[in-house]
Amino acid sequence: MSQLLTDYTRVVGLEQMNALEQLAEPMRGAKVVHVNSTREGGGVAEILHKFLPFQRALGLDAHWEVIEGEGPFYQCTKSFHNALQGERVAISEDQLAAYEETNRRNVDRLAPLLADADFVIMHDPQPAALIHSFPDRKGKWIWRCHIDVSQPHRPVWKYLQKIVSLYDASIFSLPEFAQPLPHPQFLAPPSIDPLSDKNCELTEDEVASELEPLNLDPELPIVLQVSRFDRFKDPVGVIEAARIAGRMTPLQLVLAGGGANDDPEGEAMLRDVQAAAGGDPNIRILLLPSDAHRTINALQRAATVVMQKSLREGFGLTVTEAMWKGKPVIGGDTGGIRLQVVNHHTGFLVRTPEGAALRTRYLLHNRDRREEMGVTAKNFVHDNFLLPRLVQDHLSIMIRLLKGDEDRIELSAWENGRQTVC
Ligand code: UDP
């Protein structure tokens, strides 16, 4: 077993890692190519940075490529994102032309990898239209949707549905996100890497030294939200909640965020957030570089209350990250947050700033309950949302797609006295 897999064994146990290796056996050498739209910023990049080394450690020939575009392309794909999450956005013919043209312009660069890959996994809508240029593709192409598409704006979904229908399968994070499509749909929620800088254990001294340059008030409990500046993350609602809670309970709110290369709306949203904060000394807006993983780790460990008050959320890795650090999360009652925040057990689900304020005060005042819920939260992540489970899901999906027409797929069969996967 490689060092990397040995390290994971310490977290998830030998039984799961052995099962994973066994499942990977028939996939050894398979060429798997992931394509998304950015290497930095946002949950997809966060996952892929860790997913690739893991797949490679299991013997897969895994690659990660990024579609390259310019302003109009990202404007269009951000509109797709907003529309899939339910906003009534009109997308012009020019924007769609920029989307399609950008996908075509990436073909020459990506063709050597994609044309003969055994599996291509396209993440979200940005690179989805590449499939038009590969009518003779060899492998199975899978569309991986990370977005909350439970109630998409219909005209935009209709456009994307035609493209997605060309794929051999799709993967969604939740059953509510599944859509009418002419191919198998799989459910696989994302996961975090427990060994990464973002999620590894930190001593109290390490936390203190990470936070020292931020000049936070050592006397005040931290209420934290870590997010891109995006209206679906509702940072203005978080400010409102902290203000309401702060009237009766001293606290400092930390909004930690950065941009994603493929998100053209971040700057405007940041200005709105700064205006809402209005120079309040108990509201700190931290603009962090994309590699500030240990700082975020330290913030999540130092926080007394972690919020993720999203209005729509595909999954919400920030929720998982905080829960893994033993924090109950006050989360928006939506999408992937519902999968993680079991109301009153691993955190609280809220719909309004007032609700978030009420739960914030409760957690700030009830240390025992906070710690008890934090333990439940951490165990829940351990059992459901760590990287080995996601890798295992992907292997199962690949095997299912290769063996699709068979009535019976034996994931572990004995052959010549040796257990194999067929
Ligand atoms: N993140 C970060 N720096 C930031 C903001 C977010 O590293 O300034 C990370 C965060 O820790 C998480 C990911 O980006 O790992 C965001 O994933 P999530 O699923 O919460 O939201 P998304 O941005 O994909 O909508």
Side-chain angles (χ1 to χ4, degrees):
M1 198 183 262
S2 73
Q3 187 56 48
L4 188 103
L5 299 183
T6 307
D7 291 343
Y8 282 104
T9 306
R10 279 196 277 277
V11 184
V12 299
L14 194 56
E15 200 179 323
Q16 184 174 359
M17 291 306 288
N18 279 344
L20 199 50
E21 281 201 298
Q22 209 178 334
L23 203 57
E25 189 58 35
M27 290 294 153
R28 276 187 172 278
K31 186 166 165 186
V32 182
V33 186
H34 295 264
V35 187
N36 81 323
S37 60
T38 177
R39 284 194 194 274
E40 303 295 343
V44 181
E46 186 85 18
I47 294 166
L48 289 176
H49 273 295
K50 305 301 168 188
F51 199 82
L52 269 277
F54 202 124
Q55 283 197 322
R56 286 191 189 133
L58 288 170
L60 279 73
D61 179 21
H63 303 260
W64 173 13
E65 289 295 330
V66 169
I67 188 166
E68 292 168 359
E70 278 134 31
F73 169 72
Y74 295 117
Q75 303 282 353
C76 179
T77 58
K78 182 70 189 188
S79 296
F80 281 162
H81 185 270
N82 293 342
L84 292 183
Q85 299 213 132
E87 231 174 65
R88 299 176 65 78
V89 195
I91 303 182
S92 68
E93 289 298 322
D94 283 355
Q95 282 180 313
L96 293 179
Y99 169 67
E100 289 169 16
E101 174 54 24
T102 300
N103 269 265
R104 274 193 298 274
R105 262 194 287 122
N106 277 266
V107 168
D108 285 350
R109 186 174 54 85
L110 298 178
L113 263 181
L114 298 187
D116 71 342
D118 298 297
F119 293 93
V120 172
I121 302 173
M122 291 293 179
H123 294 261
D124 288 336
Q126 293 92 332
L130 280 167
I131 197 165
H132 286 307
S133 303
F134 292 86
D136 302 322
R137 56 193 173 274
K138 168 192 157 206
K140 302 286 182 190
W141 284 43
I142 303 169
W143 187 60
R144 202 314 173 205
C145 178
H146 296 268
I147 302 169
D148 176 346
V149 279
S150 51
Q151 294 167 306
H153 181 45
R154 284 284 145 198
V156 174
W157 171 244
K158 287 269 167 248
Y159 169 83
L160 286 170
Q161 189 183 31
K162 281 201 197 107
I163 299 172
V164 172
S165 295
L166 299 172
Y167 282 75
D168 298 296
S170 47
I171 306 177
F172 296 92
S173 296
L174 261 75
E176 297 91 291
F177 299 169
Q179 293 291 331
L181 288 165
H183 58 223
Q185 296 179 56
F186 299 94
L187 300 175
S191 65
I192 58 163
D193 177 6
L195 304 178
S196 65
D197 281 348
K198 178 76 57 65
N199 297 307
C200 64
E201 286 294 332
L202 295 180
T203 63
E204 278 183 24
D205 284 351
E206 285 169 330
V207 170
S209 84
E210 283 295 330
L211 298 190
E212 203 229 64
L214 305 180
N215 289 321
L216 300 176
D217 186 335
E219 303 299 322
L220 289 176
I222 297 172
V223 175
L224 172 73
Q225 175 157 303
V226 177
S227 278
R228 288 179 297 108
F229 291 100
D230 179 310
R231 61 179 167 281
F232 287 114
K233 310 284 183 185
D234 198 18
V236 174
V238 173
I239 290 176
E240 211 181 320
R243 284 225 166 95
I244 300 170
R247 277 185 215 135
M248 285 148 84
T249 313
L251 60 86
Q252 61 189 318
L253 173 66
V254 177
L255 288 171
N261 299 338
D262 60 346
D263 180 357
E265 292 178 357
E267 280 181 29
M269 190 65 221
L270 174 60
R271 283 194 293 277
D272 290 351
V273 172
Q274 285 164 333
D280 184 335
N282 288 334
I283 300 178
R284 292 292 307 278
I285 299 168
L286 301 177
L287 291 177
L288 300 175
S290 59
D291 60 353
H293 301 300
R294 279 175 79 88
T295 309
I296 290 178
N297 187 342
L299 280 167
Q300 288 165 331
R301 288 181 191 281
T304 308
V305 172
V306 175
M307 232 186 255
Q308 187 57 57
K309 214 199 99 25
S310 306
L311 305 170
R312 285 270 192 279
E313 190 64 74
F315 182 67
L317 288 176
T318 53
V319 174
T320 338
E321 290 160 4
M323 285 170 55
W324 178 242
K325 286 148 197 147
K327 309 290 166 173
V329 172
I330 299 175
D333 185 9
T334 186
I337 296 179
R338 287 193 191 133
L339 201 60
Q340 306 186 66
V341 175
V342 181
N343 210 7
H344 296 268
H345 294 280
T346 65
F348 291 108
L349 293 170
V350 297
R351 295 196 164 178
T352 60
E354 291 76 11
L358 184 77
R359 298 312 190 188
T360 300
R361 280 209 303 272
Y362 175 82
L363 287 176
L364 287 175
H365 285 297
N366 291 282
R367 183 187 185 135
D368 288 353
R369 187 78 182 107
R370 201 168 69 220
E371 289 178 356
E372 188 191 340
M373 288 170 86
V375 170
T376 310
K378 180 165 186 175
N379 289 337
F380 196 57
V381 172
H382 178 273
D383 294 347
N384 296 288
F385 303 123
L386 295 185
L387 186 55
R389 194 272 306 146
L390 183 61
V391 175
Q392 193 166 342
D393 285 352
H394 272 246
L395 287 168
S396 305
I397 290 168
M398 289 174 189
I399 290 172
R400 158 70 175 79
L401 287 176
L402 286 181
K403 307 268 176 183
D405 294 337
E406 295 174 17
D407 291 345
R408 203 178 75 173
I409 303 168
E410 289 189 26
L411 292 177
S412 106
W414 289 93
E415 210 173 75
N416 301 328
R418 177 171 171 267
Q419 201 168 20
T420 61
V421 179
C422 58

